[in-house]
Structures are given as C-alpha cells and as structure tokens.
Amino acid sequence: MNILKVKDRQELDKKIPSMPWYVEKFINYKLPDLSPSSLLEYVRDYETFLSWLLAEGLAEGQTIKDVPIESLEKLHMESIDNFRMFLSTRKENANSKTTISRKLSSLRSLFHYLSQIAEDEQFYPLLKRNVMAKVEIKRTHKPKDTAAKLEGKLLQEDEIREFLDYVYNGYEQDIANNKQAMYSYELNKVRDGCIISLILNSGLRVSEVVNLNVDDIDMKKKLTHVYRKGKNDDSFKTPVYFRQEAFDDLAAYLDLRQTRYKAPKREKALFLAIANGKKEGERMTKRAMQEMVIKYAKRFGKPFLSVHKLRHSFATDYYLRNDLYKTQEQLGHASPETTQIYAHLTDKTMAEAIDNRKEQESDSKNAPASASRYATR
C-alpha cells in the first residue's frame, strides 16, 4: 500500500465535503484515472479560486461550498486575468509561472468537464458558458529551461562522493560543540547517509523512498520495488536498480535498523525515525527527509541542494553513461521529453568532467589513499 497516497486520500476525503456539489462531481469522475495526490492538488486549487471569487464579490455565498455554478458562467476574461494577477502578486505566497499555469490548467479541466461532459436531467451541459476555453495557458516547463535553472546546482562526479563523505564524517566536526545536534547525528548518521546514497545511486524520488518497506529491498539483485508516480495500480511495484555504493550503505543501515530504532514487528517501513516522546521507531516522513538533506547541504556549502536535486544529480551522471530511454526507464518518467533535461545538462557536464578527470589523474600520482567514509560510523 502506498503510504503517501493513503494519506492524500484521507485528506481529499476531508476536503470534498467543503466543496460545491459540481466540484465533488468532477472529483468523483476523475477518481478512477488520477491519483489521490493529483486530485488533492486540484481541490486545493479550487479552494483558492472559489475563495478569491467570494472575496472579489464575483460570487455569493457564506462559504466556498455555497458558490453557485451560475457564478462560473458569468465570469469574463478580465476576471481570469485578475485571478492570474492575484496569484502572481499576493503577499503571503506569490506563485511561480509554472504554479500559476498548473492552477489555471486545473480550472480549465473543471470547466471543460462541466461544459462538455457532465449533463443535467434534460441532457444539457451543466455549464452553459466556458470562459476557460478562451484562456491560453503557455507552456512553462521546457527541458532546456529546466536544465538552465539546474545548471551549477547539482553534484557532479567527485562531488557525489565528497558529499557522502561529509555526511558520514565531515558533518561531525562542524557540530562538535553542539551536544543536541551531536546526539541526533550519532543516532541517525548511518540512516541519513543511506537515504542520500540510495537516491544518488538510483535516482529514486523522495516519495518512493518514503514508501519503501524492508521487503522491497532485494540485496542479491541490487534493486528496490517501488510505487511509481502516476500509476494508480497499487498492486504493482516497479523494480528499480541501485549501484554497488548504495548496496554497501543499505547493508550497514539494515544491520542496525532494528536495534537502533527499536521498531515493533508490525512496522514494515525501511527508513525509521523516533519521534519526540516516543520509544519506538516509525516510518520517516517526506518532510523529515527533505529537511535532513537541506541540513547537510547547508553545512556542506551547497544551500541550494535539495532532495530532488540529488535525484537530478544521479540522472545527469547516469545519462552520461547510458542513453535517453534507459535513463527514462530508470527514473520512471512517463515521457522521454522530461528526460531530455539531462541531454541539455550533460552538454556542459561532459566537458567539465573531462577536464576534471585530467586534473585528478595528474594529482593522484602523488596523493595518499583516502580513508573510507565508513571508518568512523
């Protein structure tokens, strides 16, 4: 069972009763085709839009649930333009162009359903006029643009090894005078290093790592079985291979998982954490993994490095050694177009890698062998 999907479905079920009847009808229509996570994003987008309609006086009602469908029919293009402006300028949380496009796409999907698919008892469309059909939503996610944003913000070649070495050894020196931080580090460094190593040597998404159970790991074949994003069939898991470096880190973590985190037998999660006030370990959360990576990245001198950029770092390195379609399969991309990000990234990365190798070969002739990162753990 996909743990994150279960939580999102529970959250979705809580929110649906606060939605207008026509939104609930649309969500039920989409439920067989889209994941609860995607539908939850839709509902959040509709919350924002309907709340804005009430605040602007474009709809009547005490709550968003009371917004009549007729209010949607009366909207002008100017109203949609104003909503777009609201999203881009609101003080508490301005949205990026990509986020704005996604929110407008959510609205267009709802309006299309109400005007083209759903019918009343007389077989007429529920929505007589669809203003969103006139709205042009420019595509903002282009592989070349994404690659440009990522350039210089990923780990390359030796930096991957250096970052892992820092997690296992260097971080300890930086927090030597902080007893609380040191206690947490000594408890979790093998787990933290294992999580980071697994992503850097497999390209797994953080959500996929969170969902991993102990039984999902096949050490003999060096693969994990994961629920892939976008697939609604929770009875099927996809095998994803990992490199030898991750094998060593997984073996070290599995040796101490039970004793260090005191997990009850019913707890199947691979990666555990002991929450404050509790004595037994439970599944580590997505947010905890994200914050953990940021913690090490800031001390390492790369504050822009996030858990998702670890995945990008693996993908860039993997693409240098394989082709587009192998990379697409390894990462679980639905379309090869998404994977083209790494084609743009590797144009420059390959040249840098060649220069780095030349320098390293020259320096390594007289350099002493370095200590293993496992020496102090």
Side-chain angles (χ1 to χ4, degrees):
M1 182 180 294
N2 189 320
I3 302 300
L4 295 182
K5 281 188 178 180
V6 170
K7 290 182 178 179
D8 285 344
R9 180 56 193 266
Q10 292 172 344
E11 182 66 20
L12 180 65
D13 290 342
K14 289 180 182 178
K15 284 183 174 293
I16 285 179
S18 66
M19 292 286 106
W21 63 270
Y22 49 86
V23 172
E24 182 175 357
K25 190 176 180 70
F26 170 72
I27 296 299
N28 289 333
Y29 171 76
K30 284 291 188 180
L31 197 55
D33 301 319
L34 295 179
S35 70
S37 304
S38 297
L39 292 174
L40 182 58
E41 286 300 317
Y42 273 19
V43 168
R44 288 169 177 163
D45 292 341
Y46 301 150
E47 278 183 329
T48 301
F49 178 67
L50 294 170
S51 297
W52 179 82
L53 288 181
L54 290 174
E56 293 294 312
L58 297 173
E60 295 182 355
Q62 295 295 319
T63 66
I64 59 175
K65 184 178 179 66
D66 303 321
V67 173
I69 195 170
E70 290 79 14
S71 295
L72 306 186
E73 293 178 336
K74 297 176 182 178
L75 292 174
H76 295 282
M77 277 296 298
E78 183 181 3
S79 300
I80 304 302
D81 290 338
N82 289 338
F83 179 63
R84 192 198 304 260
M85 183 66 68
F86 162 76
L87 292 175
S88 64
T89 59
R90 57 179 180 168
K91 296 180 180 179
E92 67 277 14
N93 188 18
N95 295 274
S96 66
K97 291 182 179 179
T98 301
T99 302
I100 293 172
S101 293
R102 181 185 59 75
K103 289 180 181 294
L104 292 176
S105 293
S106 297
L107 286 178
R108 188 159 62 178
S109 295
L110 173 64
F111 278 59
H112 174 78
Y113 166 77
L114 296 175
S115 63
Q116 300 296 321
I117 299 174
E119 300 174 335
D120 61 19
E121 294 179 353
Q122 285 73 44
F123 308 107
Y124 288 108
L126 293 181
L127 193 69
K128 307 302 188 293
R129 176 177 169 275
N130 180 6
V131 68
M132 290 303 299
K134 302 178 182 180
V135 177
E136 181 182 359
I137 302 176
K138 295 181 180 179
R139 184 182 174 192
T140 59
H141 181 74
K142 295 181 180 179
K144 189 174 182 180
D145 296 336
T146 303
K149 292 179 181 179
L150 291 173
E151 193 172 296
K153 296 181 179 180
L154 306 181
L155 298 174
Q156 297 179 16
E157 291 212 292
D158 277 359
E159 286 183 327
I160 292 176
R161 176 183 55 78
E162 290 168 2
F163 184 50
L164 283 167
D165 283 343
Y166 178 77
V167 173
Y168 281 116
N169 299 309
Y171 182 78
E172 182 176 10
Q173 299 174 14
D174 288 346
I175 62 168
N177 296 324
N178 187 326
K179 291 183 179 181
Q180 185 175 356
M182 182 63 75
Y183 172 79
S184 176
Y185 173 69
E186 290 176 347
L187 175 68
N188 297 313
K189 73 172 178 177
V190 177
R191 181 204 65 187
D192 295 351
C194 182
I195 292 170
I196 291 171
S197 177
L198 182 59
I199 297 173
L200 283 172
N201 288 291
S202 69
L204 290 176
R205 299 177 177 90
V206 63
S207 58
E208 294 166 350
V209 177
V210 169
N211 275 308
L212 281 175
N213 292 331
V214 174
D215 293 342
D216 293 328
I217 305 296
D218 188 331
M219 297 296 279
K220 291 183 179 179
K221 295 182 179 179
K222 296 179 187 175
L223 59 80
T224 65
H225 296 276
V226 302
Y227 294 108
R228 276 303 195 191
K229 179 182 178 182
K231 294 186 177 180
N232 292 327
D233 185 1
D234 282 355
S235 65
F236 177 76
K237 290 186 178 182
T238 303
V240 179
Y241 288 89
F242 53 80
R243 292 170 173 167
Q244 178 64 41
E245 291 85 347
F247 175 94
D248 296 335
D249 293 296
L250 275 166
Y253 171 71
L254 287 171
D255 282 344
L256 56 76
R257 172 187 174 274
Q258 183 64 40
T259 56
R260 184 161 296 185
Y261 293 96
K262 301 177 177 62
K265 291 184 179 180
R266 67 179 182 277
E267 182 55 78
K268 298 179 180 180
L270 175 61
F271 292 111
L272 304 173
I274 300 178
N276 290 334
K278 294 188 177 182
K279 296 181 179 180
E280 295 180 336
E282 55 189 23
R283 188 180 299 271
M284 195 174 179
T285 66
K286 180 179 177 180
R287 180 178 292 276
M289 286 191 186
Q290 292 169 327
E291 292 177 348
M292 177 267 290
V293 170
I294 292 172
K295 175 184 71 175
Y296 290 114
K298 286 182 177 179
R299 290 277 190 172
F300 184 65
K302 291 187 176 292
F304 47 77
L305 190 63
S306 64
V307 65
H308 197 64
K309 287 188 175 68
L310 296 182
R311 172 174 155 86
H312 284 311
S313 297
F314 164 82
T316 304
D317 184 69
Y318 189 85
Y319 183 80
L320 284 168
R321 295 163 172 76
N322 296 276
D323 59 30
L324 180 72
Y325 295 102
K326 285 184 179 179
T327 306
Q328 177 190 353
E329 183 179 3
Q330 178 70 22
L331 296 175
H333 287 158
S335 167
E337 188 174 5
T338 306
T339 318
Q340 288 176 3
I341 294 169
Y342 309 108
H344 295 288
L345 273 171
T346 51
D347 286 343
K348 186 172 182 180
T349 302
M350 180 66 81
E352 293 177 349
I354 292 172
D355 290 338
N356 289 338
R357 282 198 191 100
K358 289 180 179 178
E359 293 177 4
Q360 291 159 11
E361 288 171 0
S362 175
D363 295 341
S364 64
K365 291 180 180 179
N366 299 317
S370 59
S372 169
R373 69 171 180 262
Y374 307 107
T376 62
R377 69 185 189 188

